[in-house]
Amino acid sequence: MEQLIKQYSDESIKLLERMIGIPSVSRNETAVADMLEQQMKEWGLEPKRYKNNLVVDHQRQSTATDASPLTDGYILLNAHIDTVKPAESWTKDPFNPTYDGDKLYGLGSNDCGGGLVSLLAAYRVLTESNSPLTHGKRLIFVASAEEEVSGKDGFDYVRQFLPDIEVAIVGEPTGMQPAIAEKGLMVVDMVAHGKAGHAARNEGINAIYEALDDIQWIKEYQFEKTSDLLGPTKMSLTVINAGSQHNVVPDRCEMVVDVRTNEHYSNEEVLEILKSHCKSDVKARSVRLSSSHIPKDHPLIQKLLSMGRQPFGSPTLSDQALMPFPSFKMGPGDSARSHTADEYIRKSEIEEAVRLYVELLH
């Protein structure tokens, strides 16, 4: 198995170089999905294509002596193929993979190409005929699109074609420490109403003044349930638009509230709290990006603890928000490098990731 790990780790780094060389900004992933699909086939895999999402399914029936505390569902290995747009401050060509010692520079190298190729390499090792899975568990690998924009043609779309998933590992950059909880996101639009009038006379009802009580409440409100891993659920007023010109009392004040939920609150619950306390109109753009978590006593997390890994809570969003089953993030690289100029990942981080994934699942 060690020979396979080394071989597939080397091949995964070469694959990452090719991925970097193909621009794959969210909603424009067709070319990189084409390349990945062809490479998977050359490796003897049988990927299924759902728009720009790729699924590789491996079945291995459990034996009668299966003592695993896991059930018969699949273990999902997931990472995304899209990237953000490159920042203007790049000093290198973001689409030209370049090395500086152990560092591989390129857009998407850290977020989330390193995790994707490492999980794919581990999948290949674990599904080789001479590398039996622990307790005969079934693996499924999904390379998803549109993660960076939470697009509906990404994991949200491909999920309908997946079998029952028992647990998922999402290959986001975490330094190979397990993020066992992740904050959710809800963007809320609020509108306070007034009545237009001439500013020089005592006319109209100023919608900005009508919004002040709601603004103050959003600033001061504290959600009761705090998470040990994620801290409190947090609301931030981030955008205000009102008025058309200096001498017209505005009849409408539009606001945007950014809500980051912990695992103790669903987005629907927070939305109802907002509606009950605010006199402005309140409407969520979406409630689908929920907080996610996995119990610390889950067998995979317990094994990671025995391997010296340290669970933590993550403030950043991923495709976990779209997974209605237990999941955790664990991948090579560092979240602080994501979305930055001169993004990089270390080759040694990918090699370590493949070994740790295989150790965890084998």
Side-chain angles (χ1 to χ4, degrees), residues 141-222:
F141 174 86
V142 176
S144 51
E146 298 191 3
E147 187 272 348
E148 295 290 4
V149 293
S150 300
K152 293 190 175 182
D153 284 338
F155 191 84
D156 208 26
Y157 174 76
V158 77
R159 188 175 65 189
Q160 64 186 303
F161 304 106
L162 301 181
D164 290 338
I165 303 297
E166 178 184 347
V167 64
I169 303 173
V170 181
E172 293 285 331
T174 66
M176 290 305 289
Q177 303 296 339
I180 62 173
E182 176 186 87
K183 278 201 170 182
L185 168 66
M186 179 172 61
V187 180
V188 176
D189 292 304
M190 297 178 58
V191 180
H193 298 279
K195 182 179 180 181
H198 199 298
R201 297 190 293 269
N202 189 25
E203 294 179 348
I205 299 172
N206 195 315
I208 297 175
Y209 299 158
E210 292 296 297
L212 289 178
D213 287 344
D214 292 346
I215 293 171
Q216 191 67 22
W217 179 82
I218 290 168
K219 178 183 177 183
E220 295 179 351
Y221 186 78
Q222 300 291 320

XYZ file of all heavy atoms in Angstrom, residues 141-222:
629
model
N -16.796 9.333 -4.467
C -16.016 10.566 -4.624
C -16.804 11.532 -5.492
O -17.300 11.151 -6.559
C -14.669 10.255 -5.265
C -13.855 11.480 -5.602
C -13.042 12.063 -4.651
C -13.914 12.040 -6.868
C -12.304 13.193 -4.944
C -13.173 13.169 -7.185
C -12.364 13.755 -6.215
N -16.918 12.773 -5.045
C -17.640 13.795 -5.803
C -16.759 15.031 -5.943
O -16.360 15.638 -4.943
C -18.968 14.185 -5.131
C -19.634 15.329 -5.894
C -19.909 12.982 -5.062
N -16.456 15.393 -7.185
C -15.817 16.672 -7.498
C -16.925 17.625 -7.913
O -17.559 17.436 -8.954
C -14.792 16.503 -8.618
N -17.187 18.642 -7.101
C -18.360 19.482 -7.314
C -17.982 20.849 -7.868
O -16.876 21.339 -7.674
C -19.157 19.639 -6.013
O -18.316 20.042 -4.948
N -18.942 21.455 -8.542
C -18.770 22.769 -9.163
C -19.465 23.845 -8.322
O -20.216 23.535 -7.385
C -19.350 22.755 -10.581
N -19.180 25.091 -8.639
C -19.896 26.263 -8.128
C -19.898 26.390 -6.603
O -20.776 27.033 -6.027
C -21.333 26.286 -8.655
C -21.414 26.390 -10.168
C -22.814 26.682 -10.691
O -23.734 26.861 -9.865
O -22.978 26.743 -11.924
N -18.901 25.811 -5.944
C -18.872 25.904 -4.480
C -18.656 27.333 -4.013
O -19.268 27.785 -3.033
C -17.778 24.996 -3.928
C -17.770 24.874 -2.398
C -16.935 25.954 -1.696
O -16.174 26.661 -2.390
O -17.066 26.090 -0.469
N -17.789 28.065 -4.704
C -17.421 29.398 -4.242
C -18.584 30.392 -4.311
O -18.537 31.453 -3.673
C -16.239 29.943 -5.054
C -14.941 29.170 -4.880
C -14.310 29.345 -3.516
O -14.918 30.017 -2.655
O -13.215 28.805 -3.288
N -19.617 30.072 -5.076
C -20.786 30.951 -5.167
C -22.045 30.268 -4.641
O -23.155 30.782 -4.814
C -21.005 31.423 -6.624
C -19.878 32.331 -7.065
C -21.150 30.244 -7.586
N -21.857 29.090 -3.998
C -23.002 28.303 -3.507
C -24.049 28.132 -4.596
O -25.251 28.269 -4.369
C -23.626 28.969 -2.267
O -22.692 29.071 -1.230
N -23.578 27.848 -5.814
C -24.462 27.770 -6.969
C -25.362 26.556 -6.958
O -25.020 25.500 -6.414
N -26.497 26.675 -7.607
C -27.471 25.584 -7.627
C -27.119 24.490 -8.625
O -27.783 23.456 -8.658
C -28.862 26.148 -7.902
C -29.374 27.012 -6.757
C -30.838 27.380 -6.896
C -31.328 28.138 -5.689
N -32.769 28.484 -5.774
N -26.094 24.704 -9.457
C -25.649 23.649 -10.374
C -24.412 22.930 -9.856
O -23.754 22.207 -10.601
C -25.352 24.247 -11.764
C -26.620 24.562 -12.529
O -27.674 23.963 -12.207
O -26.573 25.414 -13.435
N -24.098 23.138 -8.588
C -22.972 22.457 -7.964
C -23.447 21.286 -7.124
O -24.258 20.467 -7.570
N -22.979 21.213 -5.870
C -23.351 20.086 -5.017
C -24.849 20.028 -4.801
O -25.423 18.943 -4.686
C -22.621 20.156 -3.675
C -22.764 18.905 -2.865
C -21.931 17.820 -3.083
C -23.768 18.783 -1.915
C -22.091 16.646 -2.360
C -23.937 17.622 -1.185
C -23.086 16.548 -1.408
N -25.495 21.179 -4.754
C -26.943 21.211 -4.574
C -27.656 20.442 -5.678
O -28.688 19.809 -5.450
C -27.413 22.668 -4.562
C -28.676 22.860 -3.743
O -28.916 22.062 -2.821
O -29.406 23.828 -4.013
N -27.103 20.480 -6.890
C -27.699 19.771 -8.027
C -27.354 18.285 -8.007
O -28.221 17.428 -8.183
C -27.215 20.400 -9.331
C -27.654 19.651 -10.576
C -28.960 19.760 -11.040
C -26.772 18.826 -11.270
C -29.383 19.062 -12.163
C -27.182 18.130 -12.398
C -28.485 18.254 -12.838
O -28.889 17.556 -13.949
N -26.085 17.963 -7.778
C -25.648 16.574 -7.894
C -26.149 15.710 -6.740
O -26.216 14.482 -6.862
C -24.106 16.510 -7.990
C -23.443 16.720 -6.635
C -23.650 15.184 -8.589
N -26.530 16.331 -5.638
C -26.943 15.563 -4.461
C -28.093 14.617 -4.763
O -28.181 13.515 -4.206
C -27.350 16.546 -3.347
C -27.609 15.894 -2.000
C -27.884 16.956 -0.956
N -29.116 17.671 -1.242
C -29.502 18.765 -0.596
N -28.735 19.288 0.339
N -30.656 19.345 -0.890
N -28.991 15.009 -5.676
C -30.151 14.172 -5.989
C -29.766 12.850 -6.648
O -30.550 11.895 -6.661
C -31.097 14.937 -6.914
C -30.512 15.261 -8.276
C -31.392 16.134 -9.130
O -32.541 15.783 -9.389
N -30.867 17.279 -9.560
N -28.555 12.776 -7.206
C -28.115 11.568 -7.886
C -27.259 10.657 -6.998
O -26.802 9.613 -7.459
C -27.310 11.946 -9.141
C -28.064 12.831 -10.097
C -27.761 14.178 -10.203
C -29.094 12.318 -10.868
C -28.455 15.002 -11.075
C -29.795 13.129 -11.741
C -29.480 14.482 -11.845
N -27.053 11.052 -5.752
C -26.189 10.284 -4.861
C -26.985 9.240 -4.094
O -28.175 9.423 -3.817
C -25.483 11.214 -3.874
C -24.606 12.314 -4.484
C -23.955 13.132 -3.364
C -23.547 11.739 -5.404
N -26.338 8.145 -3.706
C -26.988 7.172 -2.834
C -27.060 7.716 -1.416
O -26.660 8.861 -1.144
C -26.043 5.959 -2.921
C -24.697 6.575 -3.181
C -24.961 7.766 -4.055
N -27.555 6.907 -0.489
C -27.618 7.325 0.910
C -26.202 7.531 1.444
O -25.365 6.621 1.383
C -28.339 6.281 1.752
C -29.834 6.231 1.450
O -30.364 7.236 0.938
O -30.454 5.185 1.723
N -25.955 8.721 1.967
C -24.637 9.045 2.505
C -24.696 8.976 4.028
O -25.565 9.578 4.659
C -24.188 10.453 2.069
C -24.189 10.577 0.537
C -22.812 10.781 2.648
C -23.227 9.654 -0.175
N -23.754 8.245 4.595
C -23.690 8.116 6.047
C -22.874 9.232 6.670
O -23.231 9.779 7.719
C -23.066 6.768 6.392
C -22.900 6.517 7.865
C -22.192 5.203 8.122
O -22.060 4.403 7.190
O -21.760 5.007 9.264
N -21.782 9.582 6.027
C -20.891 10.605 6.551
C -20.044 11.129 5.392
O -19.791 10.402 4.422
C -20.003 10.049 7.685
C -19.065 8.958 7.177
C -19.213 11.153 8.373
N -19.629 12.393 5.488
C -18.841 12.999 4.412
C -17.579 13.632 4.966
O -17.567 14.188 6.069
C -19.661 14.054 3.680
N -16.517 13.548 4.163
C -15.271 14.270 4.418
C -15.121 15.289 3.297
O -15.104 14.927 2.119
C -14.057 13.331 4.455
C -14.247 12.242 5.510
C -12.775 14.125 4.721
C -13.153 11.180 5.495
N -15.031 16.559 3.655
C -14.927 17.647 2.683
C -13.491 18.168 2.728
O -12.998 18.560 3.783
C -15.932 18.765 3.002
C -15.829 19.886 1.984
C -17.356 18.197 3.037
N -12.839 18.179 1.565
C -11.403 18.429 1.517
C -10.978 19.874 1.522
O -10.020 20.244 0.837
N -11.652 20.735 2.266
C -11.244 22.136 2.373
C -9.936 22.255 3.164
O -9.628 21.404 4.003
C -12.338 22.953 3.059
C -13.620 23.088 2.273
C -13.501 24.075 1.122
O -12.701 25.024 1.211
O -14.209 23.882 0.121
N -9.160 23.332 2.936
C -7.868 23.458 3.618
C -8.012 23.729 5.109
O -8.494 24.788 5.518
C -7.208 24.637 2.898
C -8.331 25.423 2.305
C -9.381 24.420 1.954
N -7.600 22.771 5.925
C -7.688 22.890 7.390
C -6.394 22.468 8.066
O -6.397 22.252 9.286
C -8.823 22.001 7.944
O -8.477 20.614 7.727
C -10.161 22.309 7.280
N -5.302 22.336 7.312
C -4.079 21.806 7.909
C -4.232 20.377 8.364
O -3.522 19.917 9.265
N -5.178 19.656 7.753
C -5.497 18.262 8.085
C -5.925 18.086 9.542
O -5.751 17.028 10.137
C -4.335 17.326 7.743
C -4.108 17.153 6.256
S -5.585 16.608 5.327
C -5.765 14.902 5.868
N -6.521 19.149 10.097
C -7.221 19.047 11.377
C -8.714 19.024 11.074
O -9.174 19.730 10.161
C -6.891 20.229 12.287
C -5.417 20.430 12.577
C -4.777 19.283 13.336
O -5.456 18.494 13.998
N -3.455 19.175 13.248
N -9.502 18.217 11.793
C -10.924 18.097 11.458
C -11.764 19.266 11.974
O -11.818 19.529 13.177
C -11.332 16.786 12.143
C -10.372 16.656 13.285
C -9.083 17.275 12.841
N -12.396 19.983 11.049
C -13.364 21.018 11.413
C -14.710 20.330 11.572
O -15.358 19.978 10.583
C -13.425 22.099 10.351
N -15.121 20.103 12.811
C -16.307 19.283 13.063
C -17.581 20.126 13.194
O -18.654 19.579 13.437
C -16.124 18.385 14.312
C -15.932 19.228 15.571
C -14.944 17.446 14.105
C -15.928 18.398 16.848
N -17.453 21.428 13.038
C -18.620 22.309 12.985
C -18.281 23.479 12.071
O -17.131 23.907 11.988
C -18.994 22.804 14.377
N -19.309 23.983 11.395
C -19.116 25.068 10.438
C -20.307 26.005 10.531
O -21.454 25.562 10.601
C -19.017 24.485 9.025
C -18.912 25.523 7.931
C -18.958 24.896 6.535
O -20.064 24.707 5.998
O -17.884 24.596 6.011
N -20.027 27.298 10.530
C -21.117 28.260 10.602
C -21.928 28.281 9.311
O -21.389 28.097 8.220
C -20.575 29.663 10.889
C -20.298 29.905 12.376
C -20.249 31.366 12.726
C -20.231 31.533 14.251
N -20.229 32.968 14.636
N -23.222 28.505 9.460
C -24.093 28.670 8.313
C -24.154 30.130 7.901
O -23.625 31.019 8.574
N -24.812 30.382 6.782
C -24.943 31.738 6.249
C -26.372 31.980 5.785
O -26.966 31.132 5.114
C -23.987 31.954 5.075
C -24.196 33.219 4.238
C -23.915 34.472 5.060
C -23.324 33.189 2.987
N -26.888 33.132 6.149
C -28.168 33.583 5.606
C -28.067 35.087 5.352
O -27.661 35.848 6.236
C -29.307 33.284 6.584
C -30.664 33.750 6.090
S -32.053 33.197 7.136
C -31.653 33.978 8.702
N -28.406 35.504 4.143
C -28.429 36.922 3.794
C -29.885 37.379 3.810
O -30.742 36.779 3.155
C -27.799 37.179 2.412
C -27.845 38.670 2.076
C -26.362 36.667 2.378
N -30.146 38.434 4.573
C -31.516 38.901 4.783
C -31.655 40.319 4.237
O -30.836 41.195 4.530
C -31.882 38.883 6.281
C -33.282 39.462 6.507
C -31.800 37.463 6.826
N -32.695 40.538 3.447
C -33.044 41.871 2.960
C -34.155 42.437 3.838
O -35.162 41.776 4.096
C -33.514 41.809 1.506
C -32.386 41.442 0.554
O -31.367 42.147 0.563
O -32.540 40.452 -0.184
N -33.961 43.682 4.273
C -34.964 44.360 5.092
C -35.329 45.686 4.441
O -34.458 46.367 3.885
C -34.439 44.587 6.513
C -34.145 43.293 7.266
S -33.459 43.557 8.922
C -34.742 44.541 9.690
N -36.597 46.056 4.521
C -37.061 47.318 3.952
C -37.927 48.041 4.979
O -38.942 47.502 5.441
C -37.864 47.110 2.657
C -38.324 48.455 2.099
C -37.044 46.357 1.620
N -37.503 49.257 5.337
C -38.325 50.134 6.177
C -39.065 51.119 5.274
O -38.493 51.662 4.320
C -37.436 50.879 7.169
N -40.330 51.351 5.578
C -41.157 52.197 4.725
C -41.493 53.524 5.398
O -41.677 53.593 6.620
C -42.455 51.474 4.353
C -42.235 50.223 3.570
N -42.001 50.231 2.215
C -42.193 48.920 3.962
C -41.835 48.977 1.790
N -41.948 48.166 2.830
N -41.557 54.590 4.601
C -41.976 55.904 5.066
C -42.906 56.529 4.058
O -43.616 55.836 3.321
N -42.866 57.842 3.997
C -43.686 58.575 3.038
C -42.873 59.749 2.512
O -42.309 60.516 3.289
C -44.976 59.078 3.703
C -45.912 59.809 2.761
C -47.178 60.253 3.504
C -48.121 61.001 2.560
N -49.351 61.452 3.272
N -42.784 59.861 1.186
C -41.977 60.919 0.584
C -42.559 62.293 0.869
O -43.779 62.465 0.988
C -41.865 60.698 -0.920
N -41.665 63.282 0.985
C -42.085 64.653 1.189
C -40.939 65.600 0.895
O -39.798 65.173 0.675
N -41.230 66.893 0.910
C -40.202 67.899 0.651
C -39.398 68.122 1.936
O -39.958 68.368 3.001
C -40.846 69.207 0.193
C -39.888 70.122 -0.508
N -38.772 70.640 0.110
C -39.887 70.610 -1.770
C -38.115 71.419 -0.735
N -38.768 71.419 -1.899
N -38.065 68.053 1.813
C -37.218 68.182 2.995
C -37.263 69.576 3.603
O -36.959 69.753 4.786
C -35.770 67.824 2.629
N -37.661 70.593 2.822
C -37.708 71.961 3.336
C -38.944 72.216 4.194
O -38.991 73.194 4.929
C -37.682 72.953 2.175
N -39.941 71.358 4.074
C -41.158 71.517 4.859
C -41.316 70.299 5.771
O -40.701 69.255 5.575
C -42.375 71.645 3.929
C -42.318 72.880 3.028
C -43.647 73.078 2.306
N -43.900 72.010 1.343
C -43.528 72.070 0.073
N -42.871 73.126 -0.385
N -43.790 71.083 -0.755
N -42.173 70.416 6.750
C -42.397 69.329 7.695
C -43.379 68.330 7.085
O -44.513 68.178 7.520
C -42.929 69.881 9.017
C -42.965 68.812 10.090
O -42.219 67.840 10.025
N -43.833 68.997 11.067
N -42.881 67.645 6.037
C -43.730 66.709 5.304
C -43.100 65.316 5.303
O -41.897 65.157 5.454
C -43.906 67.174 3.853
C -44.665 68.464 3.679
C -44.770 68.881 2.217
O -44.053 68.287 1.367
O -45.563 69.790 1.925
N -43.948 64.354 5.065
C -43.478 62.993 4.865
C -43.089 62.271 6.145
O -43.126 62.814 7.248
N -42.746 61.020 5.974
C -42.243 60.161 7.056
C -40.910 59.588 6.582
O -40.859 58.891 5.558
C -43.226 59.018 7.374
C -44.574 59.581 7.826
C -42.651 58.095 8.443
C -45.663 58.520 7.973
N -39.848 59.905 7.279
C -38.505 59.519 6.854
C -38.262 58.025 7.109
O -38.232 57.574 8.262
C -37.470 60.354 7.587
C -36.101 60.270 6.940
O -35.627 59.198 6.582
N -35.453 61.420 6.806
N -38.084 57.269 6.033
C -37.887 55.819 6.161
C -36.588 55.481 6.892
O -36.504 54.432 7.537
C -37.896 55.169 4.775
N -35.594 56.374 6.818
C -34.339 56.120 7.546
C -34.607 56.141 9.048
O -34.130 55.267 9.792
C -33.271 57.165 7.167
C -32.919 57.054 5.685
C -32.022 56.978 8.016
C -31.968 58.137 5.197
N -35.399 57.127 9.502
C -35.727 57.180 10.920
C -36.572 55.972 11.331
O -36.435 55.458 12.447
C -36.476 58.468 11.236
C -35.696 59.732 10.945
C -36.365 60.944 10.745
C -34.307 59.720 10.874
C -35.670 62.112 10.476
C -33.603 60.876 10.588
C -34.277 62.065 10.389
O -33.577 63.210 10.115
N -37.445 55.548 10.439
C -38.270 54.364 10.723
C -37.407 53.121 10.911
O -37.771 52.194 11.630
C -39.267 54.131 9.588
C -40.341 55.180 9.461
C -41.239 55.210 10.689
O -41.912 54.194 10.959
O -41.260 56.257 11.374
N -36.234 53.102 10.262
C -35.350 51.934 10.337
C -34.464 51.929 11.575
O -33.856 50.904 11.908
C -34.466 51.883 9.087
N -34.362 53.067 12.284
C -33.376 53.193 13.358
C -33.570 52.177 14.487
O -32.593 51.617 15.005
C -33.399 54.617 13.920
C -32.824 55.689 13.000
C -32.954 57.074 13.654
C -31.373 55.397 12.658
N -34.814 51.946 14.879
C -35.057 50.975 15.956
C -34.587 49.579 15.551
O -34.009 48.841 16.362
C -36.533 50.949 16.334
C -36.966 52.191 17.102
O -36.082 52.916 17.604
O -38.185 52.428 17.178
N -34.863 49.206 14.309
C -34.423 47.889 13.835
C -32.904 47.807 13.780
O -32.310 46.774 14.128
C -35.011 47.606 12.453
C -36.523 47.417 12.489
O -37.067 47.233 13.597
O -37.143 47.444 11.412
N -32.273 48.879 13.329
C -30.806 48.900 13.264
C -30.210 48.734 14.664
O -29.266 47.954 14.866
C -30.321 50.212 12.616
C -30.724 50.251 11.142
C -28.809 50.373 12.772
C -30.480 51.596 10.469
N -30.769 49.439 15.631
C -30.274 49.347 17.000
C -30.477 47.947 17.563
O -29.605 47.407 18.257
C -30.979 50.379 17.882
C -30.359 50.557 19.270
C -28.977 51.173 19.221
O -28.619 51.834 18.247
N -28.190 50.944 20.261
N -31.637 47.346 17.255
C -31.897 45.993 17.752
C -30.903 44.994 17.161
O -30.370 44.147 17.881
C -33.334 45.576 17.409
C -33.644 44.177 17.874
C -34.004 43.794 19.127
C -33.556 42.980 17.097
N -34.152 42.427 19.183
C -33.889 41.907 17.947
C -33.237 42.721 15.765
C -33.907 40.587 17.499
C -33.259 41.404 15.324
C -33.590 40.355 16.171
N -30.656 45.085 15.871
C -29.695 44.181 15.227
C -28.315 44.334 15.855
O -27.595 43.352 16.080
C -29.640 44.455 13.711
C -30.943 44.008 13.052
C -28.445 43.737 13.058
C -31.108 44.484 11.631
N -27.934 45.560 16.155
C -26.622 45.817 16.763
C -26.502 45.195 18.144
O -25.450 44.660 18.512
C -26.397 47.328 16.851
C -25.081 47.716 17.513
C -24.955 49.227 17.640
C -23.668 49.603 18.374
N -23.553 51.065 18.570
N -27.581 45.225 18.930
C -27.484 44.861 20.345
C -27.962 43.447 20.670
O -27.608 42.903 21.719
C -28.297 45.857 21.181
C -27.737 47.278 21.118
C -28.555 48.254 21.931
O -29.655 47.868 22.407
O -28.113 49.415 22.084
N -28.743 42.840 19.787
C -29.350 41.550 20.142
C -28.299 40.458 20.301
O -27.381 40.335 19.479
C -30.372 41.127 19.090
C -31.130 39.870 19.470
C -32.162 39.918 20.394
C -30.789 38.641 18.913
C -32.859 38.767 20.754
C -31.477 37.487 19.260
C -32.510 37.554 20.191
O -33.177 36.418 20.538
N -28.444 39.662 21.352
C -27.547 38.541 21.611
C -28.352 37.242 21.593
O -29.308 37.092 22.364
C -26.865 38.698 22.979
C -26.024 39.955 23.119
C -24.778 39.908 22.258
O -24.125 38.871 22.142
N -24.446 41.034 21.640
